[in-house]
Amino acid sequence: MSAVIQPHMGRAKTAPPREASGARLAVRRFLRNKLAVVGLAVVVFFFLFCFAGPLVYSTDQTHTMLQQVNLAPSGAHWLGTDAVGHDELGRLMYGGKVSLIVGVAAGVLATVIGTLWGAAAGYAGGWIDAVMMRIVDAGIAIPALFILLVVSAIATPGLTGLVVILGLVSWLVPSRLVRAETLTLKNRDYVLTLRATGGTHARAILRHILPNSVSTIIVAATFQVADAILLVAYVSYLGMGVRPPQTDWGGMLSAGLTAAYSGYWWLILPPGLAIILVVWAFNAIGDGLRDAFDVRGRG
């Protein structure tokens, strides 16, 4: 008599829980960093304040209104008015929009240039790497603010020009970070296999090295945005920023400095606090992202 095989009537085994992806772990680690979360909230607030705020609180930031110059904060003008009658709260939104656009665009441009330069130098190695990195060292030795002042003294740039100039003087530090990452990644098995099978150098950089350097690139971009916003404020404070009637927070500080001696504190305190908060927030986000992507700290 043949044996009858009974089907297994036991409880079906459940599959083990899927291991959380690296991105999820990074998000969890970032959210555990309270300062980074506060920084993210501050950045979101200022973007809403500067871009959505004018839709709710509409003001005229083009024409002068001499009948209401240097008015103290009131129900009609929540942060008072400046020396030409512009509503200071509306001016803070308008100037913040310029500062954020220039800062983010310049930070992204600097990161893109630095990433491509550093990846190419680290991947090439040898004398090419040596020459490219000596150029970077020479550029770092020249203060970015000095270059900006010289260029701004020759010609006052518009928004696009300011973004390009800031990007061209700020890409040096990201290039060093990406180069260091590339020196490690180019000797990994998947890169060596690609090269052994006839893959091009461009493919190795674009398909393997850069995607695996994304954490370094994102962190560098965050710090670059903070530095760019600060540089814009420096240049505008010295009177060499965007052309009037455009302004930014640094230009507002410059315009309100003399009035502050007369007791018009509302012309200098709000833009100064805005610069400090936004720069701190981007740096806090950068610190949080760096810790989140640090595999050595994962438990």
Side-chain angles (χ1 to χ4, degrees):
M1 177 183 275
S2 62
V4 179
I5 301 176
Q6 297 292 334
H8 181 67
M9 301 300 293
R11 205 171 186 181
K13 294 183 179 180
T14 58
R18 182 179 297 177
E19 185 179 356
S21 64
R24 289 184 180 179
L25 288 175
V27 170
R28 290 175 185 173
R29 288 176 57 82
F30 180 84
L31 293 177
R32 286 200 296 264
N33 189 322
K34 294 182 179 179
L35 285 179
V37 173
V38 172
L40 180 61
V42 170
V43 169
V44 171
F45 166 78
F46 272 102
F47 268 94
L48 292 175
F49 174 77
C50 295
F51 290 91
L55 302 177
V56 179
Y57 190 83
S58 179
T59 58
D60 185 358
Q61 297 296 324
T62 304
H63 301 93
T64 59
M65 289 160 280
L66 300 180
Q67 72 276 12
Q68 57 180 34
V69 298
N70 295 328
L71 295 180
S74 63
H77 303 283
W78 293 1
L79 287 180
T81 61
D82 62 10
V84 294
H86 292 148
D87 183 274
E88 188 70 2
L89 180 57
R91 200 74 174 163
L92 195 65
M93 298 176 184
Y94 183 76
K97 185 184 299 185
V98 174
S99 294
L100 291 174
I101 289 174
V102 174
V104 172
V108 171
L109 178 60
T111 304
V112 170
I113 296 174
T115 296
L116 295 177
W117 186 278
Y123 185 83
W127 67 269
I128 297 177
D129 178 37
V131 171
M132 293 178 72
M133 297 316 296
R134 294 300 75 75
I135 294 174
V136 172
D137 293 339
I140 291 177
I142 304 174
L145 183 58
F146 173 75
I147 299 175
L148 285 173
L149 292 178
V150 171
V151 174
S152 298
I154 297 173
T156 303
L159 281 180
T160 303
L162 197 56
V163 168
V164 172
I165 294 170
L166 285 171
L168 291 178
V169 302
S170 304
W171 60 272
L172 303 169
V173 173
S175 70
R176 295 182 68 90
L177 296 175
V178 175
R179 171 187 175 265
E181 193 77 12
T182 304
L183 289 175
T184 302
L185 293 174
K186 74 175 186 179
N187 292 320
R188 297 287 177 89
D189 291 340
Y190 47 83
V191 177
L192 296 176
T193 301
L194 175 66
R195 293 169 61 182
T197 55
T200 63
H201 299 312
R203 182 179 177 85
I205 293 175
L206 297 176
R207 292 292 301 273
H208 293 289
I209 291 178
L210 292 186
N212 285 283
S213 304
V214 66
S215 60
T216 300
I217 296 169
I218 291 175
V219 174
T222 308
F223 288 122
Q224 286 303 309
V225 171
D227 291 343
I229 292 174
L230 207 54
L231 283 174
V232 172
Y234 287 154
V235 175
S236 298
Y237 178 78
L238 297 173
M240 298 180 180
V242 294
R243 301 185 185 94
Q246 289 180 322
T247 189
D248 56 59
W249 287 334
M252 292 177 66
L253 276 177
S254 179
L257 183 61
T258 55
Y261 293 117
S262 302
Y264 304 141
W265 56 267
W266 58 88
L267 298 181
I268 191 169
L269 190 58
L273 287 176
I275 294 171
I276 292 172
L277 286 174
V278 170
V279 172
W280 170 84
F282 273 106
N283 281 318
I285 293 172
D287 288 336
L289 289 173
R290 182 179 56 198
D291 294 341
F293 286 122
D294 185 7
V295 295
R296 293 171 298 180
R298 294 180 180 172

